[in-house]
Amino acid sequence: MGSRQEFMAVGERCPDFTLENSFEDSILEGAKSCELCFHWDHKRNKCRIDMYDKVLEGLDQT
């Protein structure tokens, strides 16, 4: 799986990014990273809606 920088780059560009409720009142508010997204499965370290690879592939083409 990707690095923290990749998680942030993907989170910034993901059209389906949704901030996890538990992070709404934290100092991280406004930050976008896969690890902060509602769709991120922390146990499996994977996007539940399979957007990570799609967005990352788009980043590689720029």
Side-chain angles (χ1 to χ4, degrees):
M1 193 43 59
S3 68
R4 183 142 307 196
Q5 288 177 320
E6 283 181 346
F7 290 150
M8 291 179 75
V10 170
E12 287 288 334
R13 289 165 183 82
C14 183
D16 292 316
F17 178 85
T18 305
L19 185 64
E20 175 69 52
N21 289 339
S22 61
F23 293 111
E24 285 182 358
D25 295 328
S26 77
I27 195 167
L28 300 171
E29 188 172 357
K32 289 188 176 182
S33 170
C34 294
E35 297 170 305
L36 303 176
C37 183
F38 173 78
H39 301 292
W40 192 253
D41 183 338
H42 291 276
K43 290 181 183 177
R44 295 175 49 206
N45 206 30
K46 182 177 178 179
C47 180
R48 291 184 192 108
I49 59 172
D50 296 322
M51 287 301 293
Y52 179 83
D53 289 329
K54 293 174 188 173
V55 175
L56 185 61
E57 185 178 300
L59 293 177
D60 290 340
Q61 295 178 7
T62 58

